[in-house]
Amino acid sequence: MRVYLLRHGQSEANVAGVISDDPAHVHHLTSLGLAQARAAAGELAGIAFAHVYVSRHARTRETAEAMLEVWRRPVPVSVDARIDERHSGLDGRPVEAFNGLVRPDPVNIKPPHGESFREQMARVRAFLDAAAKRHGAATILVVSHENPIQAARAAAGLDPEVAVREALGNCAWVVLDWPPAEGV
């Protein structure tokens, strides 16, 4: 299965610089975020996606909806909690509160009431395994968040220490083949 993992467009939480890992606390896309989603849709328009997956966060759903409007073709969309943002237990606090906490060991430190990067890798790996079983050799789009995309890259074989530190801009994407090649 080929997987395009796309980070959502700019959200209100991005602009405010706050953690938004509780899907019950809704942060919508900004007008720039909607424009980013439409631009990404244009760049990906030639790909025949069999399915689109979004996290439980409104900003991923809004990104996918904007993309589907540009494509003007039906693609099934499903919500899956396994591609939600990394659980920090710090929802609503400044992003630096989380970064400062995990900076000494961003792969293994588990915030109180949160999850470690390794735990997130396992969660994302379970999603990818299930999607591969469902979609076989098809190509899918996953609209998610920076941290789950980093976790997917690590699950696919990138060194977790490298993956966790790589930045991914709003509406940027990476492409993976899943399952990874033997020995990865």
Side-chain angles (χ1 to χ4, degrees):
M1 172 183 71
R2 174 141 295 173
V3 185
Y4 283 72
L5 296 130
L6 180 128
R7 184 179 177 198
H8 61 81
Q10 182 191 68
S11 71
E12 297 163 340
N14 293 143
V15 172
V18 296
I19 297 167
S20 176
D21 62 1
D22 182 349
H25 299 145
V26 176
H27 291 96
H28 296 285
L29 292 183
T30 63
S31 58
L32 174 59
L34 284 168
Q36 291 168 330
R38 291 181 187 116
E43 293 178 43
L44 298 173
I47 300 167
F49 291 107
H51 207 95
V52 176
Y53 288 91
V54 297
S55 76
R56 294 180 298 163
H57 297 265
R59 59 195 180 268
T60 63
R61 187 176 55 256
E62 291 169 359
T63 299
E65 288 168 355
M67 295 177 79
L68 290 168
E69 286 174 14
V70 169
W71 292 338
R72 297 182 189 190
R73 66 179 183 264
V75 181
V77 178
S78 297
V79 176
D80 197 304
R82 294 173 291 186
I83 55 173
D84 279 0
E85 181 60 277
R86 181 172 172 183
H87 308 302
S88 71
L90 300 169
D91 188 75
R93 304 232 0 243
V95 170
E96 184 50 37
F98 175 78
N99 291 342
L101 178 67
V102 301
R103 191 169 285 118
D105 185 359
V107 172
N108 297 301
I109 289 178
K110 178 179 177 173
H113 313 293
E115 68 184 336
S116 71
F117 185 72
R118 289 199 188 278
E119 289 170 325
Q120 183 181 38
M121 283 174 56
R123 173 167 55 91
V124 171
R125 183 181 292 112
F127 163 77
L128 291 168
D129 286 343
K133 207 176 266 192
R134 180 175 180 194
H135 298 291
T139 300
I140 65 169
L141 174 64
V142 176
V143 183
S144 187
H145 312 269
E146 184 175 44
N147 285 319
I149 295 170
Q150 293 167 328
R153 296 196 68 217
L158 183 63
D159 181 337
E161 295 287 343
V162 172
V164 76
R165 288 180 167 82
E166 287 190 341
L168 187 68
N170 292 110
C171 279
W173 65 85
V174 299
V175 183
L176 302 175
D177 289 318
W178 195 267
E182 288 295 316
V184 175

